[in-house]
Amino acid sequence: MSLRNEIENALARYALAYDDGDLDGVERTFSETAVFTMRIGDGDLVGPLNGREEIMGLFRGAHDSQTDQRRHITTNLLIDELDEKNVRTVSYLFITSAENGALRVLTTGKYEDEWTKAGGDWVLAKRHIALDLPY
């Protein structure tokens, strides 16, 4: 499998796990020492959150408050291979919501990620999410 396919699969694995409520699967996409930051629109920077446990505290709280069915769609993937075990990627994010028979776009944004190869799988070492609008 090519590097591109491996990274696309890692991104898809994360999105599918989150959207299906498989937070253990989401957790497995982050390295133990991952760093996470996020900015929503022109708002304040969230984080840095350091380590898988701290990151998952945010994710579990956010997921528990959702009553809709979210879909995280990732596209326009650009990969910068740093070496055989580390890559940097940038990709667009499109989040939809289905609830009460209605479908709507929640927001768009961009993932800025650093991935590392661990045990044969690509895991997130660093993720910054820049959302275009709050939702």
Side-chain angles (χ1 to χ4, degrees), residues 7-104:
I7 295 298
E8 285 175 337
N9 282 349
L11 280 164
R13 202 172 296 115
Y14 164 85
L16 290 167
Y18 189 91
D19 294 342
D20 288 346
D22 176 11
L23 296 181
D24 292 335
V26 171
E27 186 172 351
R28 286 190 296 275
T29 66
F30 286 94
S31 73
E32 190 68 39
T33 58
V35 176
F36 176 87
T37 57
M38 178 171 57
R39 186 177 309 275
I40 301 172
D42 293 330
D44 293 336
L45 183 69
V46 175
L49 302 179
N50 295 296
R52 187 187 290 156
E53 185 175 326
E54 202 170 303
I55 294 165
M56 289 309 299
L58 175 73
F59 279 59
R60 289 183 197 286
H63 193 274
D64 289 349
S65 71
Q66 296 169 5
T67 59
D68 58 343
Q69 176 60 65
R70 305 269 168 102
R71 298 289 183 216
H72 289 70
I73 300 137
T74 310
T75 188
N76 293 32
L77 175 64
L78 179 64
I79 300 172
D80 181 21
E81 187 174 3
L82 304 175
D83 59 44
E84 61 191 31
K85 291 191 175 188
N86 297 283
V87 299
R88 187 177 300 127
T89 64
V90 176
S91 55
Y92 286 157
L93 170 64
F94 185 78
I95 305 174
T96 63
S97 167
E99 187 171 36
N100 301 321
L103 179 65
R104 64 188 178 106

